[in-house]
Amino acid sequence: MPTPIKTIAVLFAMDAEAAPLIAHLALVEAPDAFVRAPRAPMKCYAGTLPSGTKVYVVCNGSCVKHNVCNVGTVGAALSAYETCVSLSPDVLVNAGTAGGFAKRGGAVGDVYLGTEFKNFDRRIPIPGYDAYGVGSYEACATPNLAAHLGCKRGVVCTG
């Protein structure tokens, strides 16, 4: 028998990306969610589905100096780490908008499951660090999930 999913966390870089889901699920802000990092910039919203599953939406927060959302790998890493440590979700979803290539079959509204993760902006021209900088990390194989959800699969590049 499969283990029931009790907690889902969905991560977004930008507040505007998260707003429709927060509104749709009628989530409320949970300012004390990150007990280990109470001054961290992330914003957390929480609620419970009719099934009893707890849902959190976490946004990276804003840069105090520039008054814009903390997009990019640093904000994402901090949010993902603190979400996992503080909320212990059974499922962690990284959601939001992303670029794609129409000539490769990508279209607005497509949902992808990552097959591999790479950095596009970390070029380190030092032997040994060149491969490290770009990175190349395989995702967990999820062919059944992709088939069940009807998702496309592809490489996720970030920077």
Side-chain angles (χ1 to χ4, degrees):
M1 176 181 287
T3 304
I5 295 172
K6 297 179 182 176
T7 307
I8 299 171
V10 185
L11 307 177
F12 289 92
M14 301 176 76
D15 299 345
E17 294 171 321
L21 183 60
I22 293 167
H24 179 74
L25 296 177
L27 304 180
V28 296
E29 193 164 358
D32 298 326
F34 298 112
V35 293
R36 292 178 48 118
R39 296 186 318 170
M42 293 87 66
K43 292 181 187 174
C44 183
Y45 301 85
T48 305
L49 299 177
S51 65
T53 302
K54 187 81 173 170
V55 177
Y56 294 99
V57 168
V58 178
C59 299
N60 289 354
S62 296
C63 172
V64 177
K65 181 176 181 180
H66 299 286
N67 197 30
V68 296
C69 293
N70 287 321
V71 300
T73 57
V74 174
L78 178 62
S79 292
Y81 177 80
E82 285 302 327
T83 296
C84 289
V85 169
S86 296
L87 306 176
S88 300
D90 298 310
V91 175
L92 183 67
V93 177
N94 184 13
T97 57
F101 297 99
K103 66 182 177 183
R104 292 256 174 121
V108 173
D110 285 349
V111 175
Y112 282 83
L113 289 176
T115 57
E116 185 178 8
F117 304 96
K118 294 184 176 192
N119 296 301
F120 67 78
D121 64 346
R122 290 192 342 179
R123 305 288 186 242
I124 306 171
I126 300 171
Y129 286 89
D130 48 357
Y132 163 79
V134 173
S136 184
Y137 304 95
E138 286 188 34
C140 295
T142 57
N144 294 339
L145 180 61
H148 179 75
L149 297 176
C151 295
K152 294 181 178 184
R153 299 181 48 116
V155 175
V156 176
C157 293
T158 190

